[in-house]
């Protein structure tokens, strides 16, 4: 950690020190004067990582588990928050998780996530990380390959969100949050026991706030962007059919209509040839007069000039009077001439049936998931006003404009998906040394995806060619994406003794994928052989694999600990291959699966009457066929496979030395590199005609060498019926690269997040008041960045964490 970050962390700690020093000192004194007083100790967390309920500390898997109270205490409201609390976890590009450097680096509609996202054990192909967490029982994050029990095979791990189930007592709770940026959030639930055998629970969540970024562009009709307007409702119903049979029906619907955007502004060092230089990043706009990859300044320039599509030189960086035009240097200010649109609908329905007979439990989980997404964004992330020398009619998603000198570019992404899945399994709970879980899993996934790019140059060219508006964009159209997957899985447990246990798992998986796709633009029609009616290409692929694991765990009775577990596991993870976008059967249609051979050893320990917990895990991965995607200068997407090596360690400590005081510390170490000579095709960031790039020795994307999370909270009674909790937590993450190419412009600096809160609650659990500050030092932390198309100058799109947010939450519970 550099000196600046150390100073900031110290300042954050000093902010909370006055609130806690007196209380902690008093508690320590009372503990010293009353040696017989027992501490509360660390709570026992139950997990379902082995598809059976076990305690966290006796489960021989590297797991980060969070109970409802822990989620509330640490203000974990969404995926962005939980990455701070899980060792070696990063939220890549604010959209998908990487665990221990393993995620999804392929660029294809048929690629699978590395981390398996589950809700109540139901695997979801289309991840929904934008959804907020509310009314949960717990969250479990399993690190490392999980192929023998959970849904589909995964190489990174499993993220399982477990919602609160109905209870036998009538109660309701409402939480309202008022925050800066005109933020208003609500969440709550009502629990209704309909009868002795039918229990019902409804829950909801709403989020509404203004955007975090002020728009400096003039005369565009909107002042800020990246706001939220979303809501979600949930129904949970438990059925007790008999003493041996029970069911659980779950329905959840999410809807958003926002001007959300993951990309705010542009990072670039202006370059007259490439638009943006590849060896550095600064706060400039692309040089709009660039020649490499440009439509307006390349081979089409004479034609576009004849049509009147001429632009002012370097109009992004130059005002009309010739003065330099500045690109805002922080996330709170942008220049955009098109307001983002983000609409999403998400429906999940599942039914779980459990039937007990003798010493066995049969379980059936049936699920349906439907999702649709529409996102419009400013393609060049800039205000190109008064760029054209002659007013022109531009084509935008809402139709043609009146003739204007503005240079507007827009990107639209629309997709929808449906998923059906069925899992059947049986688990034994005998008194014999051997028990098992075995089952089958089946999934059908169908989707479509359409991406379109609107540029003034294409509007002019389409007009010259006499094309209709629907053919006047760069379009990547995939109307048919389908995946069929099934598997047979099993995991057995043999107890040699009460202390020494063996786990063996085996899984057989078959994946079949098909896609129909095309890439089309007005440039296609310059080829006299192009046939628009026969432009779609089909691709398909089939993959099958056996995977498994073997592990030993040992729980010795040691004098120095209350409970100790040593474990070691050798496992193999598998992620199916995919189909390259636009590839035909005769060219390069598919990319291969990826595999991870993982060796993991660890220990879990509790000490001093359960007041100190220390868990340590070390791992070594042999990564065979890592799927890597890139975009060539002409916009063509490719995916290849390369071998890599990953190793690291994770340290998780929790301490409750005196009543009311809780301290937690996580430390993550990670080392990754491409282990073979591999000549990768130059992607979009490189000049046209560049030769292949050898990426041997490069680190994997989103793989920081170290990260640290520290939290401290203290709770004390106030008056006769109230208690107050002070909490401070800080997370620091080392630098890393956002692409496998590891260029200077791919490097992401280290960053940190510090949160503070003060909570007052009554001991009857009726009222609760919380003051909170997130990102207390208001860091402009960039967690990822992408490279934009050569058509708009190869600028980088930064992905920021939220700025400083603060507010008040009030909760009321009724029963």
């Amino acid at each position: 950690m550099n000196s600046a970050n150390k100073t900031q962390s110290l300042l954050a700690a000093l902010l909370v020190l006055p609130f806690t020093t007196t209380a902690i000192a008093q508690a320590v004194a009372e503990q010293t004067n009353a040696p017989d007083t027992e501490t509360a100790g660390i709570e026992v967390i139950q997990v379902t990582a082995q598809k059976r309920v076990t305690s966290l500390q006796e489960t021989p898997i590297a797991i980060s588990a969070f109970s409802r109270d822990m989620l509330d205490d640490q203000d974990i409201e969404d995926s962005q928050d939980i990455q701070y609390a899980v060792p070696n976890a990063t939220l890549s590009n604010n959209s998908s998780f990487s665990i221990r450097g393993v995620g999804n680096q392929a660029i294809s509609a048929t690629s699978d996530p590395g981390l398996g996202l589950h809700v109540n054990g139901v695997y979801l192909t289309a991840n929904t990380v934008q959804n907020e967490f509310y009314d949960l029982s717990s969250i479990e994050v399993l690190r490392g390959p999980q192929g023998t029990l959970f849904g589909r095979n995964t190489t990174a791990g499993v993220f399982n969100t477990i919602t609160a189930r109905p209870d036998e007592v009538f109660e309701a709770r409402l939480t309202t949050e008022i925050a800066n940026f005109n933020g208003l959030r609500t969440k709550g639930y009502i629990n209704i026991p309909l009868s002795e055998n039918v229990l019902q629970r409804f829950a909801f969540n709403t989020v509404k706030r203004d955007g975090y970024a002020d728009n400096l562009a003039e005369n565009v009709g909107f002042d800020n962007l990246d706001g939220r307007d979303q809501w979600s409702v949930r129904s949970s119903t438990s059925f007790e059919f008999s003493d041996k049979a029970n069911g659980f029906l779950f329905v959840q619907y999410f809807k958003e209509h926002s001007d959300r955007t993951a990309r705010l502004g542009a990072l670039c060092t202006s370059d007259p040839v490439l638009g943006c230089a590849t060896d550095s990043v600064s706060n400039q706009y692309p040089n709009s007069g660039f020649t490499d990859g440009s439509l307006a300044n390349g081979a089409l320039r004479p034609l576009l000039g004849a049509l009147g599509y001429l632009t002012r030189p370097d109009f992004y960086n130059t005002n009309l009077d010739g003065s330099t035009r500045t690109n805002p240097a922080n996330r709170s200010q942008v220049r955009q001439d098109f307001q983002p649109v983000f609409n999403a609908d998400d429906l999940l329905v599942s039914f779980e049936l459990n039937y007990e007979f003798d010493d066995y439990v049969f379980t059936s989980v049936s699920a349906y998931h439907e999702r649709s997404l529409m996102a419009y964004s400013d393609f060049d992330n800039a205000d190109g006003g008064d760029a054209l020398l002659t007013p022109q009619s531009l084509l935008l998603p809402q139709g043609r404009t009146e003739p204007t000198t503005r240079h507007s570019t827009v990107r639209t992404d629309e997709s929808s998906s449906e998923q059906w899945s069925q899992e059947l399994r049986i688990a034994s709970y005998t008194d014999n040394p051997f028990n098992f879980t075995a089952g089958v899993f089946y999934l059908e996934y169908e989707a479509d995806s359409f991406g379109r790019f609107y540029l003034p140059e294409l509007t002019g060219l389409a007009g010259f060619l006499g094309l209709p508006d629907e053919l006047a964009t760069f379009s990547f159209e995939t109307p048919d994406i389908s995946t069929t997957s099934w598997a047979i899985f099993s995991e057995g447990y043999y107890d040699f003794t009460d202390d020494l246990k063996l786990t063996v798992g085996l899984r057989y998986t078959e994946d079949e994928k098909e896609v129909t796709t095309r890439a089309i633009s007005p440039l296609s029609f310059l080829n006299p052989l192009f046939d628009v009616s026969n432009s779609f290409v089909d691709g398909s692929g089939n993959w099958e694999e056996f995977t498994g694991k073997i592990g030993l765990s040992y729980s010795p009775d040691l004098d120095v600990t209350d409970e100790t577990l040593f474990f070691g596991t050798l496992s193999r993870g598998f992620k199916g291959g995919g189909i390259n976008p636009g590839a035909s059967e005769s060219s390069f249609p598919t990319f291969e699966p990826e595999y991870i051979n993982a060796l993991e050893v660890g220990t879990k320990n509790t000490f001093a009457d359960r007041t100190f917990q220390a868990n340590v895990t070390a791992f070594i991965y042999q990564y065979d066929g890592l799927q890597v995607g890139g975009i060539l200068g002409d916009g063509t997407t490719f995916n290849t496979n390369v071998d890599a090596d990953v190793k690291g360690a994770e340290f998780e400590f929790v301490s409750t030395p005196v009543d009311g005081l809780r301290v937690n510390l996580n430390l993550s170490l990670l080392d990754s590199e491409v282990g073979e000579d591999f000549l990768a095709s130059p992607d979009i960031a490189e000049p046209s005609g560049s030769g292949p790039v050898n990426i041997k020795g490069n680190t994997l994307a989103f793989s920081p060498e170290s990260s640290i999370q520290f939290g401290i909270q203290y709770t004390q009674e106030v008056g006769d019926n109230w208690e107050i909790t002070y909490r401070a937590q800080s997370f620091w993450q080392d630098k890393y690269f956002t692409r496998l190419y590891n260029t200077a412009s791919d490097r992401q600096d280290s960053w940190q997040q510090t949160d503070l809160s003060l909570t007052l609650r009554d001991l009857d659990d009726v009222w609760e008041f919380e003051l909170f500050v997130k990102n207390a030092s208001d860091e402009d932390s960039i967690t990822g960045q992408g490279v934009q198309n050569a058509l708009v100058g190869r600028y980088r799109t930064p992905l920021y964490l939220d700025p400083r947010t603060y507010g008040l939450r009030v909760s009321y519970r009724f029963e």
Side-chain angles (χ1 to χ4, degrees):
M1 185 183 297
N2 61 37
S3 59
N5 285 322
K6 288 180 180 178
T7 301
Q8 292 166 352
S9 296
L10 179 59
L11 289 174
L14 290 175
L15 286 173
V16 78
L17 188 60
F19 298 102
T20 58
T21 303
T22 302
I24 293 175
Q26 179 182 352
V28 171
E30 292 174 353
Q31 188 76 10
T32 302
N33 295 331
D36 293 333
T37 301
E38 293 184 1
T39 60
I42 301 170
E43 66 177 302
V44 177
I45 300 177
Q46 304 293 329
V47 297
T48 59
Q50 295 178 313
K51 292 295 178 76
R52 55 186 68 215
V53 178
T54 57
S55 75
L56 174 66
Q57 290 301 98
E58 69 180 14
T59 306
I61 302 174
I63 311 172
S64 295
F66 306 88
S67 66
R68 168 186 277 180
D69 290 340
M70 294 172 65
L71 294 170
D72 290 341
D73 288 342
Q74 298 183 44
D75 280 341
I76 297 176
E77 297 181 299
D78 53 28
S79 298
Q80 183 170 280
D81 292 331
I82 205 169
Q83 68 175 322
Y84 312 137
V86 178
N88 274 323
T90 58
L91 190 58
S92 311
N93 291 327
N94 293 352
S95 60
S96 61
F97 277 102
S98 290
I99 304 289
R100 297 174 173 175
V102 181
N104 181 21
Q105 299 185 36
I107 304 177
S108 171
T110 59
S111 63
D112 296 319
L115 182 75
L117 179 64
H118 296 71
V119 176
N120 295 327
V122 175
Y123 171 83
L124 301 180
T125 301
N127 288 350
T128 54
V129 298
Q130 78 271 17
N131 291 10
E132 297 216 335
F133 304 145
Y134 67 98
D135 196 33
L136 300 185
S137 172
S138 63
I139 290 178
E140 301 173 11
V141 183
L142 285 62
R143 306 188 296 275
Q146 305 296 326
T148 55
L149 284 182
F150 277 88
R152 299 186 66 194
N153 242 315
T154 59
T155 49
V158 164
F159 188 114
N160 191 20
T161 301
I162 303 171
T163 62
R165 297 208 174 190
D167 201 352
E168 297 177 350
V169 177
F170 174 84
E171 66 172 346
R173 189 181 190 95
L174 173 64
T175 300
T176 302
E177 173 188 309
I178 301 174
N180 56 331
F181 297 101
N182 291 321
L184 175 64
R185 298 182 187 223
T186 65
K187 62 181 178 180
Y189 65 83
I190 180 170
N191 195 90
I192 308 172
L194 299 178
S195 70
E196 290 185 0
N197 299 322
V198 181
L199 307 177
Q200 177 64 49
R201 188 181 186 96
F202 297 104
F204 72 93
N205 166 263
T206 71
V207 179
K208 190 174 180 62
R209 65 163 172 79
D210 292 342
Y212 289 148
D214 295 327
N215 188 22
L216 303 183
E218 299 178 354
N219 302 318
V220 294
F222 62 102
D223 298 326
N224 61 57
L225 66 158
D226 199 27
R228 297 290 186 276
D229 190 353
Q230 63 188 64
W231 56 271
S232 178
V233 292
R234 177 186 299 157
S235 171
S236 303
T237 312
S238 294
F239 302 91
E240 196 73 27
F241 298 116
S242 69
D243 292 340
K244 295 185 176 182
N246 62 77
F248 177 61
L249 176 63
F250 177 83
V251 182
Q252 178 176 282
Y253 179 71
F254 167 86
K255 187 175 183 64
E256 178 173 359
H257 181 76
S258 302
D259 59 358
R260 174 199 292 263
T261 176
R263 303 172 177 86
L264 284 171
L267 298 177
C268 173
T269 299
S270 183
D271 184 88
V273 176
L274 301 177
C276 296
T278 61
D279 58 355
S280 66
V281 170
S282 58
N283 292 297
Q284 296 178 327
Y285 282 120
N287 186 323
S288 61
F290 73 99
T291 56
D292 191 315
S294 171
L295 290 176
N297 304 303
L300 293 180
R301 182 173 179 82
L303 175 58
L304 293 174
L307 295 172
Y309 273 83
L310 296 175
T311 59
R312 292 189 298 107
D314 199 14
F315 59 81
Y316 284 137
N317 295 295
T318 310
N319 292 313
L320 283 173
D321 61 4
S323 59
T324 300
R325 191 180 190 195
T326 59
N327 180 11
N330 59 64
R331 70 152 295 141
S332 63
Q333 294 179 330
V334 296
R335 287 186 178 274
Q336 294 193 10
D337 54 21
F338 187 86
Q339 186 172 19
V341 175
F342 187 93
N343 295 337
D345 291 85
D346 192 287
L347 173 66
L348 174 61
V349 181
S350 66
F351 181 73
E352 177 182 318
L353 174 67
N354 296 289
Y355 180 75
E356 299 180 19
F357 58 99
D358 297 329
D359 295 321
Y360 303 88
V361 175
F362 168 80
T363 300
S364 168
V365 181
S366 308
Y368 172 76
H369 183 220
E370 178 181 286
R371 188 185 189 206
S372 64
L373 173 68
M374 181 184 72
Y376 294 176
S377 59
D378 191 321
F379 186 33
D380 57 11
N381 264 276
D383 170 22
D386 295 320
L388 303 176
L389 298 180
T390 304
Q392 301 290 331
S393 174
L394 308 180
L395 179 62
L396 297 177
Q398 61 267 42
R400 284 182 175 267
T401 69
E402 293 295 324
T404 176
T405 59
R406 186 177 299 276
H407 185 279
S408 293
T409 64
V410 178
R411 171 177 177 169
T412 68
D413 294 276
E414 300 181 40
S415 63
S416 64
S417 64
E418 285 186 306
Q419 173 186 305
W420 300 263
S421 65
Q422 177 65 57
E423 181 173 311
L424 303 173
R425 64 177 185 268
I426 185 171
S428 68
Y429 296 88
T430 70
D431 294 330
N432 298 322
F434 177 74
N435 280 285
F436 69 91
T437 298
V440 295
F441 174 80
Y442 180 79
L443 175 142
E444 287 187 4
Y445 174 77
E446 296 180 357
D448 56 53
S449 177
F450 300 90
R452 296 183 176 91
F453 300 83
Y454 297 77
L455 291 90
E457 297 90 337
L458 296 179
T459 303
L461 181 58
F464 171 76
L465 296 173
L467 302 177
D469 285 352
E470 60 264 30
L471 299 178
T473 63
F474 266 119
S475 297
F476 296 90
E477 303 175 357
T478 310
D480 184 17
I481 307 163
S482 66
T483 297
T484 301
S485 178
W486 70 273
I488 302 174
F489 60 88
S490 62
E491 194 164 281
Y493 316 98
Y494 186 79
D495 298 347
F496 293 107
T497 66
D498 290 341
D499 298 330
L500 182 63
K501 301 180 180 181
L502 171 70
T503 300
V504 178
L506 183 65
R507 181 189 187 98
Y508 174 75
T509 301
E510 281 194 11
D511 287 344
E512 180 181 347
K513 299 180 180 181
E514 296 179 351
V515 67
T516 299
T517 185
R518 74 174 179 179
I520 190 173
S521 76
L523 296 177
S524 306
F525 294 88
L526 296 178
N527 180 356
L529 300 179
F530 179 77
D531 180 6
V532 66
S533 63
N534 193 32
S535 54
F536 283 100
V537 295
D538 297 321
S540 63
N542 294 273
W543 300 272
E544 57 185 69
E545 189 66 34
F546 280 99
T547 55
K549 74 174 183 180
I550 182 170
L552 276 175
S553 62
Y554 179 52
S555 304
D557 185 7
L558 303 178
D559 293 336
V560 295
T561 66
D562 303 323
E563 185 179 18
T564 291
L565 172 71
F566 297 102
F567 65 92
T569 303
L570 181 63
S571 61
R572 181 172 174 83
F574 165 81
K575 188 172 79 167
I579 304 164
N580 275 311
S584 66
E585 294 287 354
S586 60
S587 58
F588 182 49
T590 63
F591 51 95
E592 295 303 310
E594 64 179 34
Y595 306 87
I596 286 183
N597 296 318
L599 174 62
E600 181 176 272
V601 295
T603 180
K604 299 181 178 183
N605 306 272
T606 57
F607 303 85
D609 294 328
R610 301 196 59 82
T611 61
F612 181 62
Q613 182 174 293
N615 297 345
V616 181
T617 307
F619 57 91
I620 298 175
Y621 289 174
Q622 183 184 52
Y623 216 144
D624 295 333
L626 164 66
Q627 296 168 354
V628 180
I631 306 175
L632 301 177
D634 62 1
T636 302
T637 300
F638 71 93
N639 293 278
T640 55
N641 299 81
V642 61
D643 293 344
D645 298 302
V646 182
K647 56 181 177 291
E650 296 148 355
F651 305 83
E652 300 172 275
F653 303 107
V654 181
S655 178
T656 57
V658 296
D659 282 342
L661 178 63
R662 182 184 178 94
V663 181
N664 65 281
L665 173 67
N666 292 343
L667 171 64
S668 306
L669 303 175
L670 188 64
D671 181 28
S672 65
E673 67 173 359
V674 176
E676 62 173 337
D677 284 311
F678 190 87
L679 298 178
S681 301
D683 79 344
I684 200 168
E686 303 297 328
S688 299
S690 298
V693 179
N694 191 345
I695 59 175
K696 181 180 180 179
N698 289 4
T699 62
L700 302 187
F702 299 100
S703 301
E705 292 186 357
S706 60
S707 61
I708 301 172
Q709 189 268 342
F710 174 77
I712 181 171
Q713 71 180 52
Y714 180 69
T715 301
Q716 66 176 141
E717 292 189 9
V718 179
D720 295 332
N721 197 46
W722 294 85
E723 67 179 16
I724 189 168
T725 299
Y726 316 89
R727 181 169 178 85
Q729 57 191 28
S730 188
F731 175 79
W732 176 87
Q733 186 158 271
D734 205 354
K735 60 184 181 296
Y736 53 88
F737 290 100
T738 57
R739 298 189 311 148
L740 198 57
Y741 288 89
N742 286 193
T743 65
S745 53
D746 293 329
R747 177 170 167 168
Q748 184 56 59
D749 292 336
S750 61
W751 54 270
Q752 74 169 24
Q753 172 96 0
T754 299
D755 302 333
L756 308 171
S757 66
L758 185 152
T759 305
L760 178 68
R761 64 175 64 89
D762 73 286
L763 298 181
D764 295 325
D765 192 26
V766 176
W767 285 99
E768 181 176 303
F769 305 88
E770 180 182 357
L771 292 170
F772 68 91
V773 182
K774 289 190 173 184
N775 190 6
S777 54
D778 200 21
E779 301 288 332
D780 281 339
S781 298
I782 300 176
T783 63
Q785 58 183 10
V787 183
Q788 286 302 300
N789 199 288
L791 296 172
V792 287
R794 303 175 173 87
Y795 71 91
R796 303 291 171 134
T797 52
L799 296 117
Y800 291 93
L801 291 177
D802 293 347
R804 181 195 294 125
T805 56
Y806 53 87
L808 169 68
R809 294 190 190 101
V810 180
S811 296
Y812 177 74
R813 187 179 68 88
F814 173 81
E815 63 177 0

